[in-house]
Structures are given as C-alpha cells and as structure tokens.
Amino acid sequence: MEKLRHMMNPLDFSVEELEELFDLAGKIEKDLPGYSHKCDGKILATCFYEPSTRTRLSFETAMIRLGGQVIGFADANSSSAAKGESVADTIRVISCFADICAMRHPKEGAPMVAASKSTIPVINAGDGGHQHPTQTLTDLLTIRSLYGSLKNFTIGLCGDLKFGRTVHSLINALSRYEGIRFIFISPKELKVPDYITEMLRQKNIPYEEVIKLEEVIPQLDFLYMTRVQKERFFNEEDYIRLRNFYILDKEKMALAKEKMFILHPLPRVNEISVEIDDDPRAAYFKQVQYGMYVRMALILTLLGIK
Ligand code: CP
C-alpha cells in the first residue's frame, strides 16, 4: 500500500518530484483523452470554507476530466461547520466518503489539522494568509512553460505582499532554484513578512524592496501582480487607501522588456488595467489553464495512479 501523502506546502515535494509532476502535467496537456479514465470510480471532495472560483472549479474540472466524480461544499454555512463541527471531525467524515480532499479555510493551519486526522490525501487549497501550494504549482508550471526553465531570472512581486498567501508560497518555492533574483514592490504597509526576507538572507538569495513599480519594471523577466486582500484587512479605511496603489497600464508596460511575462493568481480587481489583456505578455489567463493540468497531475500523484 502507498504511504498516505498530503500537499500542505509546495516544499512537501522535492525539486525532483516537482519536475516529475510538471512533466506529467505537460503530458496531460498534450493528451487529455489519454487520461480521461485514470480516476474512474474515484471521488474528490472539495471542502471550501472560503470563497473561490478558480481553485475549486479547477480541482473539480481536473477530477471530472480524469473520469472521477466530485462531492463537497463551497460555503462553510452550507456545511455542518455552521452548527459548530470541527475541521477534525469533518475530515473524518469526508474520509468515509471520498478518496481525496481539497480544502480551503480562512484559518492558517486548518488543512494541516485535517491532514493529521485524515485517512485520505488532503490538499491545502489556501489557508488564511499562509500558503496556497497548488497556486504555486500553477505558477511554477507557467513559468517553466513560458521561460523554458525555473532558473536564472528576475521576478518582481507587486502589490499586497503582506497578506498575499500566493506570494509567500511562491517565494518559498522559488528559493530552491538557482539564479533567482526577487524584487518586492509594495507600499510599506504591505511589505513581505520579515520571516521571508530572513529566509532569503540566510540562503544568500538576492532581493530588494521598492515602492515604485516604474523604477524596476525594465529589469524584470516576470511581473507577478497581486490584488490587495480586502478580506484580511482589519479596517476598511486602510484598504480603501491602499487598494489602487498599483495599476499596471500601457504606459508602465512600455517600460518593460519585450519578453517580460505578466502573471497574476487572480481574481483581479483594479491592479491590471483591462487594456493590458491583449498584450502578448499577459499570461494570467493561460496560467489558469496550467492550473488545471497541474491539479490533474497532483491528484494522480497523491492517489498513486500511474
Ligand atoms: N487564485 C485563486 O486562488 O483564485 P480563487 O480564489 O478564485 O480560487
């Protein structure tokens, strides 16, 4: 019997295991029909205690495209969490019904608690401001596909670097590859947390922190834009003051390299003007598609299906 394995953090997989996962995602992309019965008879549970469009629907589509079926809830209020059931009890119940579970929760560490009580693989689909590992897998696969490698580039991360869990997961994951230089672009209130800059210093990975996007955009190979995370602010006034701090428009893109790709985990609010969507460097909708392939590959891997 295969050892029970979860995905809580992108670092749960070694760089070599991630390469295998991305190779599998690449094979799936080229031959969707060849994978359409790999999960016949399997059930994915999506337990989402927080709103989502992409993550939940791409997990569900991934399982359906693999031939499996899906159960779950998209809102904590439509589950027994509304009656006070704990995450630990819920996952014990879900383990009786499904073969694998993707869980999103506003509390940091909740999917980890679930994993500790589960008899099926649990995937962290985003926990509070902490981690969003499958978004990171999506981002890494997108970068690898567009750039040809996960080494030797400069990436700018722009916007809400304090609360953006996709940012924290991505920096952690990229810190294992050679030749990556980070430029953090944020207002001072939304700077990347100290534990992350400390980790980069310890590993001698170059980074700088700036406020103005225009000053650094010409240096970038990738620009990872993020929305200001309204749901994690303690007061509305601060959110309103900071929400439109960055708006990527044609004027700023004119300063960027001809081959600088724009990524965004989405949803977008105002931080990328819609006038940029037709720019060949805008890769954020392609990124969504890679998200489905990599989730298909992850489901197969965690279920031990060859
Ligand atoms: N990128 C992402 O997590 O999007 P959703 O919140 O729509 O799932």
Side-chain angles (χ1 to χ4, degrees), residues 96-108:
C96 300
F97 303 148
D99 300 285
I100 186 165
C101 172
M103 179 180 285
R104 171 170 290 188
H105 203 286
K107 280 206 185 123
E108 301 185 0

Side-chain angles (χ1 to χ4, degrees), residues 18-296:
L18 287 184
E19 281 303 302
E20 280 174 27
L21 190 80
F22 299 146
D23 287 345
L24 177 56
K27 285 182 193 157
I28 293 170
E29 181 187 4
K30 290 196 185 79
D31 179 24
L32 267 181
Y35 289 83
S36 62
H37 293 288
K38 292 280 182 190
C39 281
D40 282 356
K42 299 288 184 193
I43 296 177
L44 164 77
T46 53
C47 299
F48 276 58
Y49 295 81
E50 221 188 27
S52 166
T53 297
R54 266 146 303 277
T55 311
R56 185 172 65 81
L57 296 182
S58 68
F59 265 117
E60 295 189 356
T61 311
M63 190 47 140
I64 291 165
R65 285 196 180 276
L66 289 166
Q69 297 190 62
V70 178
I71 59 168
F73 53 87
D75 173 8
N77 287 324
S78 67
S79 79
S80 283
K83 300 178 214 161
E85 185 168 64
S86 68
V87 163
D89 282 0
T90 300
I91 196 67
R92 284 190 174 106
V93 172
I94 297 292
S95 294
C96 300
F97 303 148
D99 300 285
I100 186 165
C101 172
M103 179 180 285
R104 171 170 290 188
H105 203 286
K107 280 206 185 123
E108 301 185 0
M112 184 90 85
V113 170
S116 72
K117 303 291 179 194
S118 180
T119 57
I120 60 172
V122 178
I123 302 168
N124 177 1
D127 61 328
H130 185 221
Q131 295 280 337
H132 191 345
T134 61
Q135 181 63 49
T136 301
L137 300 182
T138 302
D139 300 339
L140 294 178
L141 177 62
T142 307
I143 292 172
R144 194 178 93 140
S145 303
L146 296 174
Y147 194 71
S149 113
L150 282 164
K151 290 180 189 168
N152 302 321
F153 56 80
T154 299
I155 182 165
L157 296 109
C158 177
D160 184 348
L161 309 187
K162 178 179 179 182
F163 295 117
R165 60 191 170 200
T166 64
V167 167
H168 307 159
S169 276
L170 182 58
I171 299 168
N172 260 327
L174 283 175
S175 73
R176 297 196 293 185
Y177 296 89
E178 276 167 38
I180 309 293
R181 182 171 155 246
F182 293 98
I183 304 187
F184 302 133
I185 308 144
S186 74
K188 62 180 182 334
E189 295 89 338
L190 297 178
K191 277 171 65 170
V192 76
D194 290 344
Y195 78 89
I196 290 185
T197 47
E198 180 55 33
M199 177 274 291
L200 295 175
R201 273 197 298 277
Q202 278 180 9
K203 290 184 163 181
N204 279 324
I205 296 171
Y207 74 89
E208 59 185 289
E209 295 181 279
V210 300
I211 295 176
K212 287 197 80 155
L213 175 58
E214 296 88 320
E215 279 174 11
V216 292
I217 199 169
Q219 304 173 38
L220 306 178
D221 300 301
F222 289 93
L223 172 58
Y224 193 93
M225 292 297 293
T226 62
R227 110 190 128 87
V228 175
Q229 306 263 310
K230 181 180 184 187
E231 64 276 31
R232 316 235 182 265
F233 271 74
F234 295 113
N235 73 69
E236 177 98 8
E237 218 174 272
D238 284 349
Y239 169 69
I240 291 168
R241 186 167 52 80
L242 294 168
R243 66 182 170 183
N244 291 330
F245 202 92
Y246 299 106
I247 298 180
L248 184 65
D249 55 15
K250 281 190 172 168
E251 210 177 309
K252 293 191 189 78
M253 282 304 291
L255 304 171
K257 288 183 188 173
E258 221 174 285
K259 287 213 137 188
M260 183 204 75
F261 292 107
I262 311 161
L263 304 178
H264 192 311
L266 304 178
R268 154 180 63 185
V269 186
N270 289 325
E271 58 282 353
I272 301 179
S273 163
V274 291
E275 70 185 19
I276 302 298
D277 292 354
D278 294 329
D279 188 310
R281 295 169 288 185
Y284 31 91
F285 291 116
K286 184 74 188 154
Q287 197 178 347
V288 174
Q289 208 173 1
Y290 284 123
M292 184 188 74
Y293 299 132
V294 88
R295 289 184 176 100
M296 289 174 78

